[in-house]
Amino acid sequence: MLSRTPEPPYYAVIFSSIRTEGDHGYAAMAEAMNRLAAEQPGYLGMESAREAIGITVSYWADLESIRRWKAAAEHMVAQRLGQERWYAAYHVRVAKVERDYRGGMAGDRCGGSVIDANWKPG
Amino acid sequence: MLSRTPEPPYYAVIFSSIRTEGDHGYAAMAEAMNRLAAEQPGYLGMESAREAIGITVSYWADLESIRRWKAAAEHMVAQRLGQERWYAAYHVRVAKVERDYRGGMAGDRCGGSVIDANWKPG
C-alpha cells in the first residue's frame, strides 16, 4: 500500500540500508519498530521495500515528531542488540517534502484498495 | 549500493509505486530511465527496491536539475506506452534533504564495495 499523506509541507525520513547476514533478532525488532512508529504523534505513514538494498520512508508532520520518534527508536534499539548487528551500512536522510503528485489507474481514488492511510508493514 | 551523496542540503525525489500486471515494456523503460537520470546535470545518485510496492529515491543537486530531469523523463515516457500502463498507482514527492547521518559496520569507509563509486562531490 502507498501512504496517503496530506498536502505538503511535511517531512520524510529516508532510511537506506544494506543488511548483515542472518537475522540477529532483526525481524522482531523491525515489527516492533513499525508498531512504535505508528503510535507516535505526527506519524503520517511508512513505505518499505527491500531487494539488494532496503529503503524505508516514513512520513511525519514536523521535525519535532521526528525528534520524538528518533529518541523512542534509539531507546528501543539500546535495549536490544544494536543496529550495528543488523546493518552492514545505513544512511538516514531527513527531508522536507515540498511538493507531490500522484497518478496511475487508481491514483486519484480516495479510499479503495490501493491507497491506505493507516498501512503498517509486517 | 547506497548512494554516496554530498553534505546536505540537496534534493530527493521519492517515487513510490504499485505495478500493473505484466511487463508492457517496463523493464526496458526502467533501464533507459536510469541511464537517462545518470546523464543529467545535478544527478547525485539513485536507490531502488521493490517488493509489494516499489520505492526509487533519486538525489539531485537542486530543483532546477529535477525540473530538467522531469522534462527529459516525460519526453521519454511520451515516446513509449505511458506510465498509466506500468503503474496501478504512483506517488512522487520532491523533498529537500536537510540533514543526514550514516552508520553500520562499513558506513564510514570511503571506497570499498558498500559505497557507490559514482559519488560526485557537491
Side-chain angles (χ1 to χ4, degrees), chain A residues 5 10 16 47 50-51 59 70 88-96 98-103 105-106, chain B residues 3 5 10 16 47 50-51 59 70 88 90-96 98-103 105-106 114:
Chain A
T5 41
Y10 54 90
S16 312
E47 297 173 337
R50 178 173 298 279
E51 288 181 302
Y59 301 104
K70 183 168 184 282
Y90 65 87
H91 197 154
V92 183
R93 296 174 174 95
V94 178
K96 184 178 191 177
E98 298 181 344
R99 68 186 77 172
D100 73 343
Y101 53 100
R102 67 184 75 205
M105 297 191 311
Chain B
S3 292
T5 41
Y10 55 90
S16 312
E47 296 172 338
R50 178 173 297 280
E51 289 181 302
Y59 301 105
K70 183 169 184 284
Y90 64 88
H91 197 154
V92 183
R93 295 174 175 94
V94 178
K96 184 179 190 176
E98 297 180 345
R99 68 187 77 171
D100 73 343
Y101 51 100
R102 67 182 77 204
M105 297 191 312
V114 171

Side-chain angles (χ1 to χ4, degrees), chain B residues 15-87:
Chain B
F15 182 82
S16 312
S17 64
I18 296 173
R19 288 282 317 277
T20 51
E21 296 288 323
D23 187 72
H24 308 294
Y26 173 81
M29 177 280 298
E31 196 186 318
M33 204 68 98
N34 292 346
R35 263 202 313 273
L36 183 66
E39 289 166 0
Q40 299 296 310
Y43 172 83
L44 300 175
M46 189 180 290
E47 296 172 338
S48 196
R50 178 173 297 280
E51 289 181 302
I53 70 167
I55 306 174
T56 296
V57 188
S58 55
Y59 301 105
W60 301 90
D62 49 41
L63 285 174
E64 180 55 30
S65 302
I66 295 173
R67 269 190 287 270
R68 278 193 305 259
W69 151 240
K70 183 169 184 284
E74 285 174 348
H75 183 67
M76 175 178 279
V77 167
Q79 294 173 319
R80 299 183 182 219
L81 282 171
Q83 51 197 358
E84 305 296 315
R85 295 282 292 274
W86 298 316
Y87 299 115

Side-chain angles (χ1 to χ4, degrees), chain A residues 9-32:
Chain A
Y10 54 90
Y11 279 83
V13 177
I14 305 164
F15 182 82
S16 312
S17 64
I18 296 173
R19 288 282 316 278
T20 51
E21 296 288 324
D23 186 73
H24 308 294
Y26 174 81
M29 176 280 297
E31 195 185 319

